[in-house]
Amino acid sequence: MPDYVLGVPRYANSAPLYHFLEEGDGIAFRYGVPTELNRWLLEGSVDLSLVSSYFYLANAEKLRPLPDFSIADLGPVYSVNLFHTRPWQALRRIALTTESATSVRLLQYLLESDGLSPEYTREQGGLELLERYDGVLLIGDRAIATYAGLLRHIPESVHQVPREFSGPQGSPLWVSDLSMRWYERTRLPFVFAVWATRRSEPPPPEVVRRLRAARSLGLGNLAAVAGTEAQRLGVPERLMQHYLWNFRYHLEAPDRLGLETFAKAVGMTYPGDYWDV
């Protein structure tokens, strides 16, 4: 009997979901960035995967999500950031991450809503891209590590998190958190990812049970998860703890409303149906 293959992004923000989920006994992991996981799920080389919410909405006729799993956030997320050297309203050229479709569409929506239409280019890299672009969109581990590298100290309060730094040659460097901008516009959470399977292949209840048990352990032992992830990324543990406890992992009613609102905002249909498992 082949293993049931889970597609997992090796991002710190996903770690509470699988840190205590052991491979074996019929389950195997396959790691990739969101764009790879999306493709593998449709191709059939993974059975159940965390997929970006925009990709799920775009392929809703082929995919169906679990009812109570998400990677969502209400307010700042800290790891979906536009780093920019010109003010938001003056952005003209932006380098986009190649790892995610959701964050890219969210950025485009936010800029379009403000009447802006900068030129976009897909590029791999970090802040060095700001030598050629006004802004660079980074997500996941690269974004949180880059942001941590700009901080001179860890803020005591979430209300003291800085958003403006000194960039190259002392010029301003702004960090725009896209989830926070979404919240300011809608007062809703933003759902970045859901667990989904192909519609023709319902998830085995035993696998879902193990996923729920692993999530409970992960959230109940968040300090241990944060310690492991902080060491892996080389960022302060206290920053990682705050980063992880900020997420919403249960796709509750406000999260579903946030997902529905995002679908409508970008001209897509919200199916609103989930596996009954």
Side-chain angles (χ1 to χ4, degrees), residues 185-220:
R185 187 174 297 273
T186 65
R187 300 304 187 207
L188 291 170
F190 190 84
V191 178
F192 289 96
V194 294
W195 281 109
T197 73
R198 293 175 291 280
R199 278 186 172 270
S200 57
E201 300 175 29
E206 173 59 17
V207 171
V208 179
R209 186 196 65 77
R210 290 172 64 180
L211 284 173
R212 287 177 176 143
R215 178 181 58 192
S216 294
L217 283 171
L219 296 181

Side-chain angles (χ1 to χ4, degrees), residues 20-270:
F20 290 98
L21 181 65
E22 294 184 359
E23 290 189 89
D25 293 330
I27 287 181
F29 291 170
R30 186 177 184 187
Y31 293 100
V33 299
T35 48
E36 292 174 324
L37 298 176
N38 297 341
R39 186 176 75 251
W40 294 339
L41 183 61
L42 279 190
E43 290 174 351
S45 57
V46 300
D47 299 304
L48 169 66
S49 183
L50 278 167
V51 293
S52 59
S53 56
Y54 181 73
F55 182 82
Y56 154 62
L57 291 168
N59 293 276
E61 79 286 359
K62 301 175 184 175
L63 303 177
R64 198 176 192 190
L66 299 185
D68 60 335
F69 283 90
S70 63
I71 295 179
D73 199 272
L74 180 64
V77 67
Y78 305 110
S79 62
V80 181
N81 289 329
L82 182 71
F83 298 83
H84 49 112
T85 55
R86 295 171 65 91
W88 179 269
Q89 293 289 346
L91 291 169
R92 294 179 304 187
R93 300 185 70 237
I94 294 176
L96 300 173
T97 175
T98 59
E99 298 179 13
S100 166
T102 299
S103 59
V104 168
R105 190 65 189 94
L106 175 59
L107 173 63
Q108 292 172 330
Y109 164 73
L110 292 170
L111 289 167
E112 289 165 4
S113 298
D114 287 336
L116 305 173
S117 54
E119 175 186 325
Y120 301 106
T121 303
R122 292 275 189 171
E123 288 264 17
Q124 286 188 321
L127 294 188
E128 74 280 1
L129 293 172
L130 292 175
E131 295 177 5
R132 293 184 285 127
Y133 296 93
D134 303 330
V136 54
L137 175 64
L138 302 179
I139 71 161
D141 290 352
R142 186 192 294 268
I144 192 67
T146 299
Y147 185 64
L150 294 172
L151 293 173
R152 293 186 176 180
H153 63 275
I154 306 303
E156 287 293 324
S157 161
V158 295
H159 302 293
Q160 299 169 344
V161 175
R163 290 292 169 204
E164 186 172 346
F165 303 88
S166 292
Q169 289 85 45
S171 58
L173 173 64
W174 288 277
V175 181
S176 289
D177 187 308
L178 300 196
S179 181
M180 187 62 192
R181 284 188 172 266
W182 169 261
Y183 171 74
E184 289 170 344
R185 187 174 297 273
T186 65
R187 300 304 187 207
L188 291 170
F190 190 84
V191 178
F192 289 96
V194 294
W195 281 109
T197 73
R198 293 175 291 280
R199 278 186 172 270
S200 57
E201 300 175 29
E206 173 59 17
V207 171
V208 179
R209 186 196 65 77
R210 290 172 64 180
L211 284 173
R212 287 177 176 143
R215 178 181 58 192
S216 294
L217 283 171
L219 296 181
N221 297 274
L222 204 57
V225 179
T228 300
E229 294 303 308
Q231 186 173 25
R232 183 175 68 83
L233 295 183
V235 304
E237 189 169 328
R238 193 155 61 90
L239 176 68
M240 182 59 69
Q241 286 182 9
H242 169 72
Y243 172 57
L244 293 185
W245 78 46
N246 204 39
F247 280 95
R248 302 167 59 87
Y249 292 107
H250 291 80
L251 196 63
E252 296 173 281
D255 308 299
R256 291 188 181 195
L257 182 57
L259 183 59
E260 180 178 4
T261 301
F262 177 61
K264 291 177 179 175
V266 296
M268 305 179 81
T269 299
Y270 171 69

